Amino acid sequence: MSTDPVVIHHSRSQGEVDQRCRRERYWFTVFNGNGIIPAIEPIELRFGSVVHEAITTRWDHPLKAAEYALQEMNLYVGNPQVGATEDQRVEWPYLAAALVYAYLTKVFPSVLKEWEPENIEKLYVFIDEAGVQWSSRPDFLLRHREVRERRRYLELKTTSLNPEDFVRIFSRRLQGHHGALAAQQTLGVEVGEIQLQGLVKGGKYKGQLRSRLIGGYRRENALGKPAYKTDHAK
């Protein structure tokens, strides 16, 4: 009879759902092996996935990344089975493109001044003291350009929370902790910094999502004629 320890495979998302509701974790991650998988991915989840895919696969080509986000969201909301509202069909593709382009041109360049991507969306594994194997796939593992032993784990999160609530919630989420521990154990290097970057997609007003990135603001140009701008750089 084998005495080898049994390794239990567990994902970060399973752990976070378990913290919220164990019944939900069972039905959506364990039942029939993989849990109940919706036939149509909810629009909020697809939006986040598209933004992540655009940034992590085209981070060095902002315009191409934005075009990819626009194309993918247009394809998604154009599917009648999704049941997207008129606002979602018209606005969400442009919101995804604006978020991607704004981040890659206004924020990420400041990160790249000190850091360079070492691994992107790479699977890491962390086995804890109880023998539970946690898998994690950080968006970016960054390496400092001058102090080569320094590593930073960068995770992107689309959100409609205000900054205070975002910081409060994610300070105790498993994602950052397990992502860093998994990278450390897999690579054998210390990951001393974690950065969770919120990509704010706006807030809800009268049941609809509203964002400065998709709202046109009327301004008069130098000739006194009306013009519209989104002020996305702010």
Side-chain angles (χ1 to χ4, degrees):
M1 182 176 182
S2 175
T3 58
D4 293 338
V6 176
V7 177
I8 303 172
H9 296 272
H10 206 55
S11 70
R12 180 271 310 167
S13 58
Q14 284 180 300
E16 290 186 351
V17 173
D18 188 72
Q19 286 182 322
R20 182 171 65 247
C21 176
R22 292 185 175 180
R23 184 174 296 174
E24 180 182 354
R25 180 191 69 83
Y26 172 76
W27 286 116
F28 288 98
T29 66
V30 178
F31 179 73
N32 279 347
N34 294 313
I36 299 173
I37 301 174
I40 300 294
E41 187 178 14
I43 188 169
E44 291 82 2
L45 293 181
R46 184 58 189 153
F47 181 90
S49 298
V50 166
V51 170
H52 276 73
E53 291 165 9
I55 292 175
T56 57
T57 61
R58 296 163 175 81
W59 58 269
D60 51 348
H61 295 286
L63 187 57
K64 290 182 179 180
E67 290 172 345
Y68 171 84
L70 180 65
Q71 174 184 331
E72 289 298 307
M73 282 305 297
N74 268 324
L75 287 173
Y76 177 82
V77 297
N79 182 353
Q81 292 184 310
V82 171
T85 65
E86 181 65 21
D87 279 347
Q88 290 170 338
R89 288 194 296 271
V90 174
E91 297 179 343
W92 280 49
Y94 290 99
L95 173 57
L99 265 181
V100 169
Y101 190 76
Y103 176 73
L104 289 179
T105 58
K106 300 295 180 180
V107 180
F108 201 48
S110 63
V111 175
L112 294 177
K113 287 181 180 178
E114 293 187 64
W115 304 86
E116 62 182 13
E118 183 173 25
N119 287 312
I120 301 173
E121 290 281 350
K122 182 178 175 64
L123 180 65
Y124 298 115
V125 173
F126 166 64
I127 302 177
D128 65 20
E129 295 178 354
V132 178
Q133 178 172 295
W134 300 83
S135 59
S136 183
R137 197 182 294 271
D139 290 332
F140 288 91
L141 183 67
L142 305 172
R143 189 172 188 178
H144 199 273
R145 293 184 182 275
E146 295 183 2
V147 187
R148 301 300 287 168
E149 63 271 17
R150 286 179 62 187
R151 302 295 199 289
R152 175 183 288 184
Y153 163 28
L154 171 61
E155 190 72 28
L156 309 172
K157 304 296 292 186
T158 56
T159 180
S160 57
L161 297 172
N162 62 53
E164 292 79 12
D165 289 337
F166 179 85
V167 171
R168 176 177 54 82
I169 289 175
F170 280 97
S171 65
R172 60 175 184 269
R173 283 282 181 91
L174 294 175
Q175 185 165 8
H177 304 286
H178 281 179
L181 288 171
Q184 285 187 164
Q185 195 171 93
T186 303
L187 299 175
V189 298
E190 180 181 353
V191 179
E193 302 176 34
I194 301 172
Q195 179 182 353
L196 291 172
Q197 174 69 56
L199 302 174
V200 181
K201 57 188 177 183
K204 285 192 174 181
Y205 175 72
K206 294 184 178 181
Q208 299 295 329
L209 189 70
R210 291 290 179 261
S211 169
R212 283 197 298 177
L213 294 172
I214 53 175
Y217 295 89
R218 183 185 174 97
R219 301 283 188 272
E220 288 189 358
N221 61 22
L223 300 177
K225 296 181 179 180
Y228 294 86
K229 60 186 298 186
T230 59
D231 295 332
H232 74 265
K234 297 180 180 179

